[in-house]
Amino acid sequence: MKILFIGALSIASLYYSQNFPVSSIPENLKKNANMVIRKDFTTIQINKIDDIKYQYYTAKTVLNKDGGSDAQVFIPYEKGDNISDVKVYIYDESGKKIKSYSKSDFGDFANNSQGTFYSDNRIMSLSYTPTQYPYTVEFSYQIGDENTVFLPDFLPFRSTNVSLEESQMKIINKSGIELKTKTYPSKYNYASVIEIENAGEKLYSYKNVPAIDNAGLLPQPEKILPKVSFALTRFNLEGKQGTISSWKDFGIWYYQSILQPVFVSTPSIKAEVAALNLQGSTEEKVKKLYQHMQSKTRYIFVALGIGGWQPMLPDEVQKKGYGDCKGLTTYMKTLLDEAGIPSYYCTINSGPSKISFDPDFPKMGGNHIILMVPTEKGNIWLENTSQQIAFNHLSYTTTDRNVLLVKKDGIDVIDTPSYSAEQSKEKQVLNIKLNEDNTISGEGKFSYTGIQYDNNLFLASLSPKERNESVKNMFDVLHFEKAEIKNFLNDRDNAVAKYDLDFKANNYSKNAGSSIIFRAVPIYANNIYKTDENRDLPFELRQSFEDEYEISFALPKNYKIDEIPDNVTLNSEFGSYKLSFVKNGDELKVNRTIKINKGLYPKEKYNDYINFRKKTINTDNSKILISKI
């Protein structure tokens, strides 16, 4: 055992005898790169079910100031982990060593940025301010852990504008426990992993992987790059040993070891539910309990108990009025249990781009917890960390992906809802008065559902003044002199955000002799769309949505409508667009609808999408001419 691990350390020492002149980086790895990973070597030695050691060695060249964040030097750990042999060297452009650091130079902090919390998670970090670019950071350390359930995936890198010269992951398994592996090739042939297995050792490597440019509508790098996943069929988590040969046996362990000990009610919780006097259908009871829970709790981060995976007890959440996603979900589940309503604790990968679990490769994972309540009318999904979000509504960070639903008899892998374009709608009804001084004044009614509800939910927590400033920023295509939100409503029963807007905007129209010219659509997304003839990766439209505008223009006194554009209809596989006009005396009505279909599209269609969106913006800017009578 010791000989093998000393061998790994000797390899690391060998690399420390190198230097890293920037001139030796291949030109293809500098393209689109802010940082180049010169060497990245990880050795994982599994000694037994509760003894694992990691040896990390990296050398990263930061080419410019934008690459500095990817070269930060830090060590995440938990209390009780054994960290040793910490070394950091800094090299200049020529490869000359200019700085060196050891473990004593690191600061030690709580590993969370979300405010007040409790956590066993810690982070050691080194503060280094570069005086010149480029520079290279060489960094290594060892860490020992008793938890063997969290084996890291092996990817070339996880960020855009980072390239890789050479990376290796070696796994030395002396535990006698089966190590399951699965390789996920790049769907776009962007890179490939080299696999070697010999005498109980597995070696995986990548070489010369160019940077992924941070292009428009790019999918997450994880969707582009290859990956290797690992899982021991028997593992330890804070003294709780289990098996993970299938989702069924892992789920049974998860329920019995992690969740069942905290699924405990109290007389106080029983009395709390009884006092609500629940009546009506299952959905009505769940809604009343959920909105009650929202009204008396708030979210904080908590990472205590069995590796940060075990929730707080429900009575702690009840008494203290706070918890993280685990604790708040467990508290909500306990309230439902007391009402005789079954519900299920669900682990999910939360994020703007959907990441799902592999149904065929059981592995500990996920970064968030939600609750599912089955009913005869369908599943009810509860996001328990927000005091503002609507009942039975999941945000765009948790829709359209799968969850691990934990039950007594195992884990089911099931899908969360997916919102269609029609379910994610913005509705604008604008009544606008055109003025001869090129200003407009008017009022509008706005409503948002689905994903667009999520995008506007932040308004619920703002003061009236802050809301007014926010709407000016959101609709900055207009030069607001005044913008005042009135009657804001967060309809938490139906997941709709609504408000009225009184406004005045300057420089909306232009004079042309005795005529006035103005654009057909006052408020629209004025994004800049550029074609890319050299696009080499697919593009992702992450969400479907629909915008429907009804606009009424009232003309100034003694003016008439001279010219209006033709009606326009645009159809594509990416969505559709319609703009139409109706004259009614001295009033003009404009109807505008755009629908976008989410999807992962091949690179060859990127310019087709860009051209479609350019046409929609150009049509939004169609000009109307009115003249003095």
PDB file of all heavy atoms in Angstrom, residues 33 61 78 86 131 163 188 192 218 228 230 248 257 287 303 315 357 389 406 449 452 504 548 596 601 616:
ATOM      1  N   ALA A  33      -8.312  30.740 -25.536  1.00  0.00           N
ATOM      2  CA  ALA A  33      -8.018  30.346 -24.150  1.00  0.00           C
ATOM      3  C   ALA A  33      -7.582  31.545 -23.316  1.00  0.00           C
ATOM      4  O   ALA A  33      -6.750  32.341 -23.745  1.00  0.00           O
ATOM      5  CB  ALA A  33      -6.929  29.277 -24.131  1.00  0.00           C
ATOM      6  N   THR A  61      -1.387  27.694 -16.608  1.00  0.00           N
ATOM      7  CA  THR A  61      -0.842  28.957 -17.092  1.00  0.00           C
ATOM      8  C   THR A  61      -1.973  29.927 -17.379  1.00  0.00           C
ATOM      9  O   THR A  61      -2.854  29.629 -18.202  1.00  0.00           O
ATOM     10  CB  THR A  61       0.004  28.747 -18.359  1.00  0.00           C
ATOM     11  OG1 THR A  61       1.142  27.946 -18.039  1.00  0.00           O
ATOM     12  CG2 THR A  61       0.478  30.088 -18.921  1.00  0.00           C
ATOM     13  N   GLU A  78     -13.737  18.704   4.634  1.00  0.00           N
ATOM     14  CA  GLU A  78     -14.620  18.645   5.781  1.00  0.00           C
ATOM     15  C   GLU A  78     -13.791  18.423   7.030  1.00  0.00           C
ATOM     16  O   GLU A  78     -12.675  17.882   6.964  1.00  0.00           O
ATOM     17  CB  GLU A  78     -15.646  17.511   5.630  1.00  0.00           C
ATOM     18  CG  GLU A  78     -16.687  17.767   4.550  1.00  0.00           C
ATOM     19  CD  GLU A  78     -17.788  16.720   4.558  1.00  0.00           C
ATOM     20  OE1 GLU A  78     -17.744  15.819   5.421  1.00  0.00           O
ATOM     21  OE2 GLU A  78     -18.687  16.807   3.711  1.00  0.00           O
ATOM     22  N   VAL A  86       1.133  20.234   1.050  1.00  0.00           N
ATOM     23  CA  VAL A  86       0.593  21.339   0.256  1.00  0.00           C
ATOM     24  C   VAL A  86       1.767  22.173  -0.272  1.00  0.00           C
ATOM     25  O   VAL A  86       2.575  22.690   0.499  1.00  0.00           O
ATOM     26  CB  VAL A  86      -0.341  22.222   1.109  1.00  0.00           C
ATOM     27  CG1 VAL A  86      -0.891  23.375   0.274  1.00  0.00           C
ATOM     28  CG2 VAL A  86      -1.463  21.379   1.702  1.00  0.00           C
ATOM     29  N   THR A 131       1.287  40.115 -10.621  1.00  0.00           N
ATOM     30  CA  THR A 131       1.868  41.408 -11.008  1.00  0.00           C
ATOM     31  C   THR A 131       2.128  41.464 -12.501  1.00  0.00           C
ATOM     32  O   THR A 131       2.468  42.534 -13.025  1.00  0.00           O
ATOM     33  CB  THR A 131       3.191  41.649 -10.257  1.00  0.00           C
ATOM     34  OG1 THR A 131       4.100  40.566 -10.524  1.00  0.00           O
ATOM     35  CG2 THR A 131       2.937  41.734  -8.754  1.00  0.00           C
ATOM     36  N   SER A 163      -8.086  25.559 -22.016  1.00  0.00           N
ATOM     37  CA  SER A 163      -7.611  24.437 -22.824  1.00  0.00           C
ATOM     38  C   SER A 163      -6.730  23.524 -21.960  1.00  0.00           C
ATOM     39  O   SER A 163      -6.373  23.869 -20.833  1.00  0.00           O
ATOM     40  CB  SER A 163      -6.837  24.936 -24.044  1.00  0.00           C
ATOM     41  OG  SER A 163      -5.685  25.653 -23.648  1.00  0.00           O
ATOM     42  N   TYR A 188     -19.979  15.261 -29.840  1.00  0.00           N
ATOM     43  CA  TYR A 188     -19.566  16.121 -30.952  1.00  0.00           C
ATOM     44  C   TYR A 188     -18.107  15.896 -31.331  1.00  0.00           C
ATOM     45  O   TYR A 188     -17.507  16.708 -32.029  1.00  0.00           O
ATOM     46  CB  TYR A 188     -19.802  17.589 -30.571  1.00  0.00           C
ATOM     47  CG  TYR A 188     -21.215  17.791 -30.063  1.00  0.00           C
ATOM     48  CD1 TYR A 188     -21.481  17.913 -28.701  1.00  0.00           C
ATOM     49  CD2 TYR A 188     -22.289  17.791 -30.943  1.00  0.00           C
ATOM     50  CE1 TYR A 188     -22.777  18.057 -28.238  1.00  0.00           C
ATOM     51  CE2 TYR A 188     -23.592  17.930 -30.479  1.00  0.00           C
ATOM     52  CZ  TYR A 188     -23.824  18.065 -29.130  1.00  0.00           C
ATOM     53  OH  TYR A 188     -25.121  18.198 -28.678  1.00  0.00           O
ATOM     54  N   SER A 192     -11.518  12.951 -26.775  1.00  0.00           N
ATOM     55  CA  SER A 192     -11.769  11.557 -26.397  1.00  0.00           C
ATOM     56  C   SER A 192     -10.866  11.200 -25.225  1.00  0.00           C
ATOM     57  O   SER A 192      -9.804  11.801 -25.010  1.00  0.00           O
ATOM     58  CB  SER A 192     -11.506  10.611 -27.573  1.00  0.00           C
ATOM     59  OG  SER A 192     -10.182  10.756 -28.050  1.00  0.00           O
ATOM     60  N   LEU A 218     -24.232  28.776 -26.131  1.00  0.00           N
ATOM     61  CA  LEU A 218     -23.441  27.557 -26.000  1.00  0.00           C
ATOM     62  C   LEU A 218     -24.000  26.666 -24.901  1.00  0.00           C
ATOM     63  O   LEU A 218     -24.319  27.145 -23.808  1.00  0.00           O
ATOM     64  CB  LEU A 218     -21.999  27.930 -25.660  1.00  0.00           C
ATOM     65  CG  LEU A 218     -20.990  26.793 -25.687  1.00  0.00           C
ATOM     66  CD1 LEU A 218     -20.667  26.401 -27.116  1.00  0.00           C
ATOM     67  CD2 LEU A 218     -19.719  27.208 -24.955  1.00  0.00           C
ATOM     68  N   VAL A 228     -15.914  10.541 -17.612  1.00  0.00           N
ATOM     69  CA  VAL A 228     -15.891   9.206 -17.024  1.00  0.00           C
ATOM     70  C   VAL A 228     -16.440   9.320 -15.608  1.00  0.00           C
ATOM     71  O   VAL A 228     -16.030  10.196 -14.838  1.00  0.00           O
ATOM     72  CB  VAL A 228     -14.469   8.612 -16.978  1.00  0.00           C
ATOM     73  CG1 VAL A 228     -14.528   7.159 -16.481  1.00  0.00           C
ATOM     74  CG2 VAL A 228     -13.802   8.676 -18.340  1.00  0.00           C
ATOM     75  N   PHE A 230     -17.480   7.259 -11.859  1.00  0.00           N
ATOM     76  CA  PHE A 230     -17.024   6.151 -11.023  1.00  0.00           C
ATOM     77  C   PHE A 230     -17.965   5.983  -9.835  1.00  0.00           C
ATOM     78  O   PHE A 230     -18.523   6.959  -9.326  1.00  0.00           O
ATOM     79  CB  PHE A 230     -15.613   6.424 -10.494  1.00  0.00           C
ATOM     80  CG  PHE A 230     -14.621   6.814 -11.543  1.00  0.00           C
ATOM     81  CD1 PHE A 230     -14.407   8.152 -11.848  1.00  0.00           C
ATOM     82  CD2 PHE A 230     -13.900   5.861 -12.223  1.00  0.00           C
ATOM     83  CE1 PHE A 230     -13.495   8.530 -12.813  1.00  0.00           C
ATOM     84  CE2 PHE A 230     -12.978   6.221 -13.194  1.00  0.00           C
ATOM     85  CZ  PHE A 230     -12.771   7.563 -13.491  1.00  0.00           C
ATOM     86  N   LYS A 248     -32.194   0.688  -6.606  1.00  0.00           N
ATOM     87  CA  LYS A 248     -33.049   0.113  -5.565  1.00  0.00           C
ATOM     88  C   LYS A 248     -32.299  -0.022  -4.254  1.00  0.00           C
ATOM     89  O   LYS A 248     -32.754   0.491  -3.203  1.00  0.00           O
ATOM     90  CB  LYS A 248     -33.585  -1.249  -6.013  1.00  0.00           C
ATOM     91  CG  LYS A 248     -34.476  -1.925  -4.976  1.00  0.00           C
ATOM     92  CD  LYS A 248     -34.981  -3.275  -5.493  1.00  0.00           C
ATOM     93  CE  LYS A 248     -35.777  -4.010  -4.428  1.00  0.00           C
ATOM     94  NZ  LYS A 248     -36.995  -3.286  -4.007  1.00  0.00           N
ATOM     95  N   SER A 257     -30.787   5.093   6.219  1.00  0.00           N
ATOM     96  CA  SER A 257     -29.634   5.659   6.919  1.00  0.00           C
ATOM     97  C   SER A 257     -29.656   7.181   6.997  1.00  0.00           C
ATOM     98  O   SER A 257     -29.193   7.763   7.979  1.00  0.00           O
ATOM     99  CB  SER A 257     -28.337   5.216   6.229  1.00  0.00           C
ATOM    100  OG  SER A 257     -28.209   3.811   6.273  1.00  0.00           O
ATOM    101  N   LYS A 287     -51.913  22.739  -0.719  1.00  0.00           N
ATOM    102  CA  LYS A 287     -51.665  24.169  -0.939  1.00  0.00           C
ATOM    103  C   LYS A 287     -51.687  24.945   0.380  1.00  0.00           C
ATOM    104  O   LYS A 287     -50.807  25.770   0.638  1.00  0.00           O
ATOM    105  CB  LYS A 287     -52.689  24.764  -1.900  1.00  0.00           C
ATOM    106  CG  LYS A 287     -52.468  26.242  -2.188  1.00  0.00           C
ATOM    107  CD  LYS A 287     -53.632  26.862  -2.926  1.00  0.00           C
ATOM    108  CE  LYS A 287     -53.763  26.318  -4.338  1.00  0.00           C
ATOM    109  NZ  LYS A 287     -54.845  27.038  -5.082  1.00  0.00           N
ATOM    110  N   ALA A 303     -25.040  22.540   6.279  1.00  0.00           N
ATOM    111  CA  ALA A 303     -24.329  21.349   5.786  1.00  0.00           C
ATOM    112  C   ALA A 303     -23.741  20.579   6.960  1.00  0.00           C
ATOM    113  O   ALA A 303     -22.539  20.364   7.050  1.00  0.00           O
ATOM    114  CB  ALA A 303     -23.240  21.744   4.794  1.00  0.00           C
ATOM    115  N   ASP A 315     -38.589  19.320  13.827  1.00  0.00           N
ATOM    116  CA  ASP A 315     -38.936  20.195  14.955  1.00  0.00           C
ATOM    117  C   ASP A 315     -37.924  21.332  15.124  1.00  0.00           C
ATOM    118  O   ASP A 315     -38.260  22.403  15.612  1.00  0.00           O
ATOM    119  CB  ASP A 315     -39.079  19.392  16.254  1.00  0.00           C
ATOM    120  CG  ASP A 315     -37.766  18.870  16.774  1.00  0.00           C
ATOM    121  OD1 ASP A 315     -36.944  18.425  15.946  1.00  0.00           O
ATOM    122  OD2 ASP A 315     -37.548  18.895  17.992  1.00  0.00           O
ATOM    123  N   PHE A 357     -29.764  12.637 -14.102  1.00  0.00           N
ATOM    124  CA  PHE A 357     -29.084  11.433 -13.639  1.00  0.00           C
ATOM    125  C   PHE A 357     -29.152  10.360 -14.720  1.00  0.00           C
ATOM    126  O   PHE A 357     -30.106  10.319 -15.504  1.00  0.00           O
ATOM    127  CB  PHE A 357     -29.744  10.904 -12.363  1.00  0.00           C
ATOM    128  CG  PHE A 357     -29.693  11.854 -11.205  1.00  0.00           C
ATOM    129  CD1 PHE A 357     -30.769  12.679 -10.915  1.00  0.00           C
ATOM    130  CD2 PHE A 357     -28.570  11.928 -10.393  1.00  0.00           C
ATOM    131  CE1 PHE A 357     -30.734  13.555  -9.840  1.00  0.00           C
ATOM    132  CE2 PHE A 357     -28.518  12.804  -9.318  1.00  0.00           C
ATOM    133  CZ  PHE A 357     -29.610  13.622  -9.045  1.00  0.00           C
ATOM    134  N   ILE A 389     -42.327  31.852  -4.217  1.00  0.00           N
ATOM    135  CA  ILE A 389     -42.705  31.060  -5.387  1.00  0.00           C
ATOM    136  C   ILE A 389     -44.101  30.457  -5.220  1.00  0.00           C
ATOM    137  O   ILE A 389     -44.564  30.179  -4.115  1.00  0.00           O
ATOM    138  CB  ILE A 389     -41.656  29.952  -5.654  1.00  0.00           C
ATOM    139  CG1 ILE A 389     -41.747  29.459  -7.102  1.00  0.00           C
ATOM    140  CG2 ILE A 389     -41.813  28.795  -4.673  1.00  0.00           C
ATOM    141  CD1 ILE A 389     -40.545  28.634  -7.527  1.00  0.00           C
ATOM    142  N   VAL A 406     -36.859   9.221  -3.528  1.00  0.00           N
ATOM    143  CA  VAL A 406     -36.418   8.252  -2.527  1.00  0.00           C
ATOM    144  C   VAL A 406     -37.625   7.684  -1.784  1.00  0.00           C
ATOM    145  O   VAL A 406     -38.414   8.431  -1.185  1.00  0.00           O
ATOM    146  CB  VAL A 406     -35.449   8.908  -1.528  1.00  0.00           C
ATOM    147  CG1 VAL A 406     -34.879   7.850  -0.584  1.00  0.00           C
ATOM    148  CG2 VAL A 406     -34.319   9.621  -2.261  1.00  0.00           C
ATOM    149  N   THR A 449     -46.296  34.037 -16.946  1.00  0.00           N
ATOM    150  CA  THR A 449     -46.520  32.675 -16.460  1.00  0.00           C
ATOM    151  C   THR A 449     -45.302  31.804 -16.772  1.00  0.00           C
ATOM    152  O   THR A 449     -44.431  32.194 -17.548  1.00  0.00           O
ATOM    153  CB  THR A 449     -47.771  32.054 -17.107  1.00  0.00           C
ATOM    154  OG1 THR A 449     -47.590  31.990 -18.537  1.00  0.00           O
ATOM    155  CG2 THR A 449     -49.023  32.849 -16.782  1.00  0.00           C
ATOM    156  N   GLN A 452     -41.382  32.626 -17.541  1.00  0.00           N
ATOM    157  CA  GLN A 452     -41.362  34.092 -17.472  1.00  0.00           C
ATOM    158  C   GLN A 452     -41.859  34.581 -16.101  1.00  0.00           C
ATOM    159  O   GLN A 452     -41.500  35.672 -15.661  1.00  0.00           O
ATOM    160  CB  GLN A 452     -42.176  34.681 -18.615  1.00  0.00           C
ATOM    161  CG  GLN A 452     -41.693  34.171 -19.981  1.00  0.00           C
ATOM    162  CD  GLN A 452     -41.707  35.240 -21.043  1.00  0.00           C
ATOM    163  OE1 GLN A 452     -41.125  36.299 -20.888  1.00  0.00           O
ATOM    164  NE2 GLN A 452     -42.378  34.958 -22.137  1.00  0.00           N
ATOM    165  N   LYS A 504     -44.026  57.377 -19.065  1.00  0.00           N
ATOM    166  CA  LYS A 504     -43.785  58.386 -20.087  1.00  0.00           C
ATOM    167  C   LYS A 504     -42.369  58.186 -20.582  1.00  0.00           C
ATOM    168  O   LYS A 504     -41.439  57.968 -19.782  1.00  0.00           O
ATOM    169  CB  LYS A 504     -43.966  59.792 -19.539  1.00  0.00           C
ATOM    170  CG  LYS A 504     -43.805  60.869 -20.624  1.00  0.00           C
ATOM    171  CD  LYS A 504     -44.080  62.270 -20.080  1.00  0.00           C
ATOM    172  CE  LYS A 504     -43.967  63.298 -21.192  1.00  0.00           C
ATOM    173  NZ  LYS A 504     -44.215  64.671 -20.689  1.00  0.00           N
ATOM    174  N   GLU A 548     -46.946  37.821 -26.146  1.00  0.00           N
ATOM    175  CA  GLU A 548     -48.138  38.303 -26.855  1.00  0.00           C
ATOM    176  C   GLU A 548     -48.393  39.757 -26.462  1.00  0.00           C
ATOM    177  O   GLU A 548     -48.606  40.051 -25.284  1.00  0.00           O
ATOM    178  CB  GLU A 548     -49.348  37.435 -26.501  1.00  0.00           C
ATOM    179  CG  GLU A 548     -50.619  37.809 -27.232  1.00  0.00           C
ATOM    180  CD  GLU A 548     -51.788  36.939 -26.835  1.00  0.00           C
ATOM    181  OE1 GLU A 548     -51.594  35.714 -26.629  1.00  0.00           O
ATOM    182  OE2 GLU A 548     -52.900  37.478 -26.704  1.00  0.00           O
ATOM    183  N   ILE A 596     -40.859  30.901 -29.201  1.00  0.00           N
ATOM    184  CA  ILE A 596     -39.552  30.268 -29.380  1.00  0.00           C
ATOM    185  C   ILE A 596     -39.611  28.854 -28.802  1.00  0.00           C
ATOM    186  O   ILE A 596     -40.129  28.636 -27.697  1.00  0.00           O
ATOM    187  CB  ILE A 596     -38.441  31.079 -28.684  1.00  0.00           C
ATOM    188  CG1 ILE A 596     -38.307  32.458 -29.316  1.00  0.00           C
ATOM    189  CG2 ILE A 596     -37.111  30.332 -28.742  1.00  0.00           C
ATOM    190  CD1 ILE A 596     -37.913  32.458 -30.773  1.00  0.00           C
ATOM    191  N   TYR A 601     -29.703  22.413 -30.916  1.00  0.00           N
ATOM    192  CA  TYR A 601     -29.704  22.416 -32.376  1.00  0.00           C
ATOM    193  C   TYR A 601     -28.283  22.275 -32.913  1.00  0.00           C
ATOM    194  O   TYR A 601     -27.329  22.774 -32.316  1.00  0.00           O
ATOM    195  CB  TYR A 601     -30.309  23.722 -32.899  1.00  0.00           C
ATOM    196  CG  TYR A 601     -31.767  23.910 -32.542  1.00  0.00           C
ATOM    197  CD1 TYR A 601     -32.134  24.575 -31.368  1.00  0.00           C
ATOM    198  CD2 TYR A 601     -32.786  23.436 -33.364  1.00  0.00           C
ATOM    199  CE1 TYR A 601     -33.471  24.764 -31.036  1.00  0.00           C
ATOM    200  CE2 TYR A 601     -34.123  23.623 -33.037  1.00  0.00           C
ATOM    201  CZ  TYR A 601     -34.456  24.295 -31.869  1.00  0.00           C
ATOM    202  OH  TYR A 601     -35.774  24.485 -31.542  1.00  0.00           O
ATOM    203  N   THR A 616     -37.136  39.126 -36.841  1.00  0.00           N
ATOM    204  CA  THR A 616     -38.147  39.514 -35.849  1.00  0.00           C
ATOM    205  C   THR A 616     -37.848  40.908 -35.298  1.00  0.00           C
ATOM    206  O   THR A 616     -38.760  41.721 -35.118  1.00  0.00           O
ATOM    207  CB  THR A 616     -38.232  38.492 -34.698  1.00  0.00           C
ATOM    208  OG1 THR A 616     -37.027  38.507 -33.932  1.00  0.00           O
ATOM    209  CG2 THR A 616     -38.498  37.093 -35.218  1.00  0.00           C
TER     210      THR A 616
END
